[in-house]
Amino acid sequence: MKLPNLITDPNTLAGLSHDEAEWAPAGTPFAAFRPQSTEDVQRAVKVCAENNVPIVPRGAGTGLSGGANAVDGCLVLDLSRMNRIIEIDEENLLAVVQPGVVNDDLKKAVAALGLWYPPDPASSPWSTIGGNVSTNAGGLCCLKYGVTRDYVLGLEVVMGGPVEYGTAVRLGRRTTKGVAGYDLTSLLVGSEGTLGVVTEITLRLRPAPRPSTTVVGAFSSLVAAGQAVALSTSRGLQPAALELIDRACLQAVEDWKHLGIEPDTEAMLLARAETSEDADGLAAAFTDAGAAWTERSTDSTEAEALFAARRLTYPALERLGPLLTEDVCVPRSAVPAMLARIEETGARHGVQIATIAHAGDGNLHPLLITPPGDDNARIAAQAAFDDIIDQALELGGTVTGEHGVGLLKQDGMIRELGPDAHAVQQSIKHTLDPLNLFNPGKA
């Protein structure tokens, strides 16, 4: 291929060939390329189109569904070096960034100007804005402030199909409102790199967040914690975050990082409230749902330690053995029922399941843990994984709230969409990428 500085070292390619989804298969790429500009990406896409070489875009590799996994003979486009914050427009509350900008780096840059970029996946210290756009990432604050799609005003995307492969197409706008044409920006957000390569992102910002109170509730069971979530919702409370962490997750983090958090109950709810009314209401809801104890704190250090435990859950559990990570989302009123079904599924299949959740919006992350090298345990975990998907669909939910479909959720996605909607989805892919060049084999 006529591209400079192609990476062909087998060890380097191995590290660039997969994300954090341990159970998702990965192929062997032909090479990798680290563009530093839109022009570099355009050149790569043109050459790949001429040679019929698939393209797999990649950010920081923090995905949990196999969405950035290589296919045999592909070119991995590692976008991590396209990491410039191009513009921060304080007057119009927007920022323009390249896809390799790390989420927390953007937050720090805009916070210095009294502004805020709310989407905050647990991987925010490492994940990139491009990757967040690819999966429409959510996070802890999305309960009140929305997910990535709610903050993407415009995109620059290198595409093909209706235009020549390698054409940089600008979508969206810089204005607060705008309905000129189909909303192609929203279509690209969450498309997991299957419709083109995002090279620039225009993002909506907000003023700095209000000071918050942390409300913590400890419960004797997962279901009781779920009932507290449903009660908070039915009472119209609006916390900025409402997270669930079970005992296994807290113990794994404490054993690893020694944060001084003693898990003495089966589940903990962790909330951020921006008004005294919401703080009072959450404490009352937790108590009324049977909390063993409830506490409120405005101590930012104490609060940050608790939320740090939430963010560290996945890597802490990963140390215990291979993880199969779920990402189902159900109506908030169905959270208690879904938590009960997760427990029952784990017991029925003999699989250890640790659960964390963006409980306030019904997005649950059961983490299925298997002993290293135990093939029977992997088979049981896969069966439990599939059952949890079916249980979520029965309750009116979805197979993925924020991690994306990637490779792990394709069968579940087809069951959720049904044949007609799936056919429409396929027709969009075929129209915008007739060569099936962009991230083939993914949802």
Side-chain angles (χ1 to χ4, degrees), residues 37-39 41-42 82 86 97-99 154-159 167-172 185 188 196-202:
S37 66
T38 297
E39 292 74 22
V41 175
Q42 289 182 273
M82 293 182 65
I86 297 168
V97 304
Q98 290 184 312
L155 297 169
E156 178 185 74
V157 189
V158 177
M159 303 182 73
T167 302
V169 181
R170 287 200 169 269
L171 308 174
T185 303
L188 265 291
V197 182
V198 173
T199 53
E200 188 179 286
I201 306 150
T202 301

Side-chain angles (χ1 to χ4, degrees), residues 99-145:
V101 171
V102 171
N103 184 297
D104 271 6
D105 290 346
L106 175 62
K107 288 184 187 298
K108 291 172 186 174
V110 302
L113 301 172
L115 302 174
W116 183 35
Y117 176 65
D120 61 339
S123 60
S124 63
W126 316 284
S127 64
T128 62
I129 298 297
N132 295 169
V133 169
S134 176
T135 60
N136 189 28
L140 279 64
C141 288
C142 63
L143 170 60
K144 186 171 185 177
Y145 290 103

Side-chain angles (χ1 to χ4, degrees), residues 87-362:
E87 177 187 2
I88 299 175
D89 185 338
E90 298 175 69
E91 187 174 5
N92 291 299
L93 295 178
L94 62 84
V96 181
V97 304
Q98 290 184 312
V101 171
V102 171
N103 184 297
D104 271 6
D105 290 346
L106 175 62
K107 288 184 187 298
K108 291 172 186 174
V110 302
L113 301 172
L115 302 174
W116 183 35
Y117 176 65
D120 61 339
S123 60
S124 63
W126 316 284
S127 64
T128 62
I129 298 297
N132 295 169
V133 169
S134 176
T135 60
N136 189 28
L140 279 64
C141 288
C142 63
L143 170 60
K144 186 171 185 177
Y145 290 103
V147 296
T148 299
R149 180 177 282 116
D150 299 308
Y151 293 87
V152 179
L153 290 169
L155 297 169
E156 178 185 74
V157 189
V158 177
M159 303 182 73
V163 296
E164 180 183 359
Y165 274 89
T167 302
V169 181
R170 287 200 169 269
L171 308 174
R173 62 196 189 279
R174 290 172 64 100
T175 55
T176 302
K177 297 166 67 176
V179 290
Y182 297 123
D183 188 357
L184 299 180
T185 303
S186 291
L187 174 65
L188 265 291
V189 177
S191 64
E192 301 186 41
T194 61
L195 302 178
V197 182
V198 173
T199 53
E200 188 179 286
I201 306 150
T202 301
L203 296 166
R204 187 195 315 271
L205 303 176
R206 296 179 64 98
R210 304 174 185 176
S212 62
T213 298
T214 301
V215 183
V216 182
F219 297 84
S220 60
S221 72
L222 271 179
V223 174
Q227 290 168 341
V229 172
L231 188 58
S232 300
T233 298
S234 68
R235 291 180 177 179
L237 302 174
Q238 291 188 307
L242 180 53
E243 299 291 302
L244 180 148
I245 319 172
D246 78 358
R247 183 188 185 93
C249 295
L250 288 169
Q251 189 66 61
V253 172
E254 181 60 25
D255 289 345
W256 182 31
K257 291 294 185 180
H258 308 293
L259 299 178
I261 299 171
E262 295 297 334
D264 55 0
T265 53
E266 290 304 309
M268 179 181 290
L269 287 179
L270 182 60
R272 280 195 183 118
E274 295 179 333
T275 68
S276 58
E277 292 80 8
D278 279 334
D280 292 342
L282 287 164
F286 292 179
T287 299
D288 293 346
W293 53 263
T294 302
E295 291 185 3
R296 279 180 286 183
S297 174
T298 57
D299 185 316
S300 60
T301 301
E302 182 179 65
E304 192 50 44
L306 289 168
F307 279 98
R310 165 62 182 87
R311 294 183 187 279
L312 289 168
T313 296
Y314 185 84
L317 288 168
E318 198 174 29
R319 298 168 65 247
L320 305 180
L323 289 182
L324 185 55
T325 306
E326 274 284 15
D327 173 39
V328 294
C329 192
V330 297
R332 289 179 288 183
S333 60
V335 167
M338 190 65 217
L339 288 170
R341 293 188 183 197
I342 289 168
E343 286 193 312
E344 186 276 329
T345 299
R348 177 159 39 87
H349 289 280
V351 176
Q352 181 184 1
I353 301 179
T355 300
I356 51 175
H358 306 304
D361 56 18

